[in-house]
């Protein structure tokens, strides 16, 4: 939906860093925000698409797709399923892209933000876009797997959206360096602050 190359992500924190001028603020002088703070930044957690996986895992999912297509073909012959129903895409007809959750975190300029992403957590989830009124493009994505990008391994996920949010917050380097801010973030989101056993 975008005229440039793009990557899906989860926004973890939005912040500005104090500039050199901001370290020497004179209380008697009126400053503009941009005089003492740098540009708006986003800390994001990348969600990989299948094309970003390593070759071994790419082949695995390609083999799975071939098996699914062969199975659907067999079912059509055996029970004569309606053609329109049988040809439904495995990711759901309202799904634009398949994504993989990761722990890959980076900081980017806020101007790089292009649109909104809505994540389906299960194959059969229905996303109703009829009442959406956004001025930016919206991508509907299916996320059923976690990709360990360093180990190059895949974990299947069984979870609710709150667990995805929590994993993202726990990946945040900005929040991990500021315990007070981390606790305030969980409180603001109405989420239980994780204990040591939760983290494990």
């Amino acid at each position: 939906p975008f005229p440039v190359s793009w990557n899906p992500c989860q926004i973890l924190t939005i912040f500005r860093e104090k500039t050199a001028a901001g370290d020497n603020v004179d209380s008697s002088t009126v400053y503009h925000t941009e005089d003492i703070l740098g540009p708006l930044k986003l800390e994001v957690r990348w969600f990989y698409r299948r094309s970003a996986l390593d070759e071994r895992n790419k082949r695995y999912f390609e083999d799975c797709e071939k098996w699914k297509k062969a199975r659907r073909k067999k079912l059509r012959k055996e029970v004569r399923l309606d053609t329109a129903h049988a040809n439904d895409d495995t990711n759901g007809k309202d799904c634009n892209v398949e994504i993989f959750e990761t722990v890959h975190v980076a900081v980017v300029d806020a101007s790089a933000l292009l649109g909104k992403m809505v994540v389906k957590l299960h194959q059969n989830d229905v996303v109703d876009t009829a009442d959406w009124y956004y001025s930016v493009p919206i991508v509907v994505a299916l996320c059923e797997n976690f990709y360990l990008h360093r180990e190059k391994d895949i974990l299947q996920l069984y979870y609710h959206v709150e667990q995805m949010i929590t994993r993202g917050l726990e990946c945040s380097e900005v929040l991990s360096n500021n315990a007070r801010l981390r606790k305030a973030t969980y409180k603001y989101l109405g989420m239980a602050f994780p204990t040591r056993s939760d983290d494990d």
Side-chain angles (χ1 to χ4, degrees):
F2 308 107
V4 295
S5 60
W6 60 278
N7 290 297
C9 69
Q10 175 189 11
I11 297 176
L12 305 179
T13 57
I14 304 172
F15 65 94
R16 294 179 186 269
E17 291 181 317
K18 190 181 291 186
T19 64
D23 291 327
N24 301 295
V25 173
D26 183 353
S27 59
S28 62
T29 305
V30 176
Y31 293 89
H32 294 291
T33 301
E34 57 269 22
D35 293 332
I36 58 176
L37 297 175
L40 198 63
K41 298 286 187 181
L42 302 176
E43 183 188 29
V44 301
R45 178 166 68 125
W46 296 118
F47 284 63
Y48 284 21
R49 282 177 283 189
R50 192 182 295 185
S51 58
L53 302 181
D54 62 283
E55 291 302 319
R56 179 177 64 86
N57 280 299
K58 279 184 190 177
R59 287 195 299 272
Y60 168 76
F61 280 98
E62 286 171 2
D63 290 343
C64 285
E65 287 300 316
K66 290 177 183 177
W67 179 83
K68 288 177 183 177
K69 287 179 181 178
R71 184 172 178 271
R72 288 199 299 273
K73 188 175 180 180
K74 183 180 179 182
L75 285 173
R76 284 200 296 272
K77 288 181 178 179
E78 290 180 353
V79 296
R80 296 184 180 181
L81 291 176
D82 178 72
T83 304
H85 180 269
N87 286 337
D88 278 351
D89 180 55
T90 54
N91 287 350
K93 56 188 175 183
D94 63 340
C95 188
N96 301 138
V97 64
E98 177 187 22
I99 59 175
F100 296 78
E101 195 176 338
T102 77
V103 293
H104 185 182
V105 175
V107 173
V108 300
D109 195 276
S111 62
L113 189 63
L114 296 174
K116 177 182 175 67
M117 182 173 71
V118 175
V119 179
K120 289 175 53 170
L121 304 180
H122 303 287
Q123 192 83 257
N124 298 324
D125 288 351
V126 176
V127 178
D128 185 7
T129 61
D131 297 326
W132 287 358
Y133 299 99
Y134 292 101
S135 59
V136 295
I138 300 172
V139 174
V140 179
L142 174 69
C143 183
E144 294 183 312
N145 297 286
F146 197 109
Y147 181 56
L148 302 170
H149 68 285
R150 294 189 183 92
E151 296 84 352
K152 294 182 171 46
D153 206 356
I154 299 283
L155 301 176
Q156 190 169 7
L157 294 172
Y158 302 93
Y159 63 126
H160 299 288
V161 67
E162 291 81 6
Q163 292 170 299
M164 175 186 283
I165 294 172
T166 299
R167 278 195 293 272
L169 295 177
E170 292 305 297
C171 288
S172 169
E173 295 179 9
V174 173
L175 295 181
S176 66
N177 294 329
N178 190 324
R180 187 175 177 181
L181 179 60
R182 181 169 174 254
K183 196 166 186 175
T185 300
Y186 276 92
K187 184 177 180 180
Y188 175 78
L189 293 173
M191 299 170 63
F193 189 70
T195 61
R196 175 67 63 180
S197 58
D198 292 332
D199 290 341
D200 294 338

